[in-house]
Amino acid sequence: MTDLFAPLQSLKQGHWFKLICGASFQHLPAVRSLTLAYTLAGADCIDVAADPAVIASAQAALQVARTLTRDAQKRGFDYKGNSPFLMVSLNDGEDPHFRKAEFNPTECPTDCPRPCERICPAQAIVFNSIKSDFSGVLSQKCYGCGRCIPACPYDIIYTNSYMSTPGAIAPLVMSTGVDAVEIHTKVGRLAEFEQLWQAISPWANQLKLLAISCPDGEGMTDYLRAIYDLIAPLKSVLIWQTDGRPMSGDIGDGTTLAAVKLGQKVLAAKLPGYVQLAGGTNSYTVAKLKAMGLLKEAEGQGARGRGEEFSPLLPAPCSPSSISGVAYGSYARVLLSPILEQLENKEVSNTNTKATGSLEEDNTLLWQAVELAHSLVSQIKSQQER
């Protein structure tokens, strides 16, 4: 299997792992470190914001990962130097993944207990930060989860949403080597989806993978069928991403139930394409899928495992009977947050040195991060080893 199609092999066999850095997460050091750690741990896809600087940071990490192949293998990680797909996200309308929290810190009473600062999973809300005298939302760190809004006792936090600009994204895809695009949509936005699709379809055929992400809603399966009719025929591989409970995986184990339930609903619709969970996924997800028999059996077992040859150019199975993969966002990021925080603190303390704060420069932190990432990646990857 070539480096190019290794991620598709994972998708075909039912052990696809995607890291979601966040459609609006633009903290370049964190994106770089997350990409490096999860790549070395065996991720099949890295989903980043459609921002040139973010894309460049992820690509730099992928290059570093290839230089560490032997080190990873010596430490027992099954990384073969294969590059995961690099994915960017677009939206056809307002979406919580494409927003930032904002507030005016001068409006905060001095005696406020600042619950917003404590509840923020991205540590994006600061007051008199160490690096500067800044107070407020660090925009590059905020990924739009919205947890700070109801937590504010003075109701002064709000969000600003933004729309994708396909005309600006197309050159990125053509010039930077992005492999995949994910379109975030909602039931009832077929006209908006069609407008977006018309804008990107001239260059869509060069993609290796297209993902459609949609939360649940009345008439959802009919809506997805209408989308398929609109984009077919499709040369690239197609994934239906079930956005169960967006950006909530780090809250608790129970959040994964919405993702699994929605995955079952899409599987039952028998749409052409692969089905991948997201939205509330965490360390409980794979165990739940296994218990419910929703993961594909290992090669050689089950109807689809008998004598079926893998074709890397095959766009999708006709009617998937099992979940083909899982995408992890907030849980995957928070899992590595202790390492990222240590790295950021070192960068602050080394401002007068030549140290850049890159994860690979600290051998101890690097392999601690990979070990943590591998503890999550290996849950679904173990499906191929049974």
Side-chain angles (χ1 to χ4, degrees):
M1 183 55 56
T2 64
D3 171 44
L4 180 64
F5 295 120
L8 299 187
Q9 176 81 338
S10 296
L11 193 60
K12 179 81 170 180
Q13 294 180 344
H15 54 82
W16 162 273
F17 180 102
K18 185 176 87 168
L19 167 70
I20 303 173
C21 286
S24 60
F25 186 61
Q26 297 163 304
H27 190 238
L28 303 185
V31 168
R32 193 180 191 278
S33 296
L34 287 165
T35 299
L36 178 57
Y38 277 96
T39 295
L40 291 172
D44 297 296
C45 184
I46 309 294
D47 186 355
V48 300
D51 176 298
V54 174
I55 293 170
S57 291
Q59 289 175 325
L62 296 179
Q63 291 178 355
V64 171
R66 285 190 284 271
T67 69
L68 295 169
T69 302
R70 287 189 178 181
D71 288 346
Q73 292 173 349
K74 287 179 181 178
R75 293 172 180 270
F77 300 108
D78 190 30
Y79 174 66
K80 300 179 176 64
N82 299 325
S83 290
F85 285 170
L86 189 57
M87 173 184 283
V88 296
S89 293
L90 305 176
N91 58 325
D92 63 9
E94 188 167 334
D95 188 283
H97 298 89
F98 296 80
R99 67 182 184 180
K100 300 279 190 181
E102 293 184 15
F103 68 91
N104 184 349
T106 63
E107 297 179 1
C108 293
T110 56
D111 60 347
C112 178
R114 300 172 181 171
C116 59
E117 186 178 22
R118 294 194 305 272
I119 203 171
C120 179
Q123 298 178 318
I125 297 178
V126 296
F127 292 88
N128 301 318
S129 68
I130 298 175
K131 287 187 176 182
S132 66
D133 198 27
F134 174 81
S135 294
V137 178
L138 296 170
S139 179
Q140 73 276 18
K141 285 190 172 184
C142 177
Y143 57 81
C145 71
R147 298 177 205 175
C148 56
I149 297 173
C152 177
Y154 299 97
D155 196 28
I156 64 171
I157 302 178
Y158 58 96
T159 60
N160 268 332
S161 300
Y162 60 93
M163 283 288 296
S164 303
T165 52
I169 300 303
L172 291 179
V173 175
M174 291 185 286
S175 63
T176 62
V178 169
D179 304 293
V181 163
E182 182 166 277
I183 299 177
H184 290 254
T185 187
K186 289 184 179 179
V187 177
R189 290 213 297 240
L190 188 61
E192 292 86 348
F193 182 95
E194 183 174 10
Q195 185 177 6
L196 175 59
W197 183 249
Q198 288 176 347
I200 66 176
S201 58
W203 47 267
N205 285 341
Q206 73 185 65
L207 298 171
K208 301 180 185 74
L209 187 147
L210 174 70
I212 307 296
S213 180
C214 187
D216 201 2
E218 186 177 352
M220 178 195 184
T221 55
D222 288 338
Y223 179 64
L224 296 184
R225 286 191 187 96
I227 285 180
Y228 183 77
D229 290 341
L230 184 65
I231 63 178
L234 193 66
K235 290 186 178 180
S236 61
V237 170
L238 176 63
I239 288 179
W240 302 105
Q241 176 168 288
T242 62
D243 197 4
R245 185 176 170 185
M247 297 176 287
S248 66
D250 59 307
I251 295 176
D253 289 347
T255 62
T256 201
L257 298 177
V260 173
K261 183 178 179 180
L262 189 53
Q264 288 179 294
K265 183 175 181 177
V266 176
L267 281 177
K270 298 188 179 299
L271 294 161
Y274 296 97
V275 179
Q276 171 229 278
L277 301 190
T281 52
N282 48 40
S283 62
Y284 182 66
T285 304
V286 171
K288 183 67 174 177
L289 289 173
K290 288 180 178 179
M292 298 177 68
L294 291 175
L295 281 177
K296 183 181 176 183
E297 295 177 340
E299 197 67 19
Q301 303 176 34
R304 292 175 61 199
R306 295 191 187 104
E308 183 182 19
E309 294 183 0
F310 172 73
S311 170
L313 298 178
L314 183 66
C318 292
S319 56
S321 56
S322 55
I323 299 297
S324 297
V326 181
Y328 299 86
S330 54
Y331 182 83
R333 297 191 296 268
V334 170
L335 184 64
L336 264 62
S337 60
I339 303 295
L340 301 184
E341 187 174 355
Q342 288 184 63
L343 199 61
E344 189 170 355
N345 291 338
K346 284 188 64 175
E347 185 181 2
V348 171
S349 63
N350 291 335
T351 51
N352 295 323
T353 71
K354 293 183 179 180
T356 64
S358 297
L359 183 58
E360 70 272 15
E361 291 182 354
D362 190 313
N363 207 49
T364 300
L365 288 182
L366 168 63
W367 297 110
Q368 286 178 356
V370 177
E371 185 68 44
L372 283 171
H374 185 260
S375 70
L376 185 59
V377 175
S378 62
Q379 291 182 14
I380 194 162
K381 291 297 181 182
S382 65
Q383 283 296 105
Q384 64 182 318
E385 299 166 357
R386 288 194 297 156

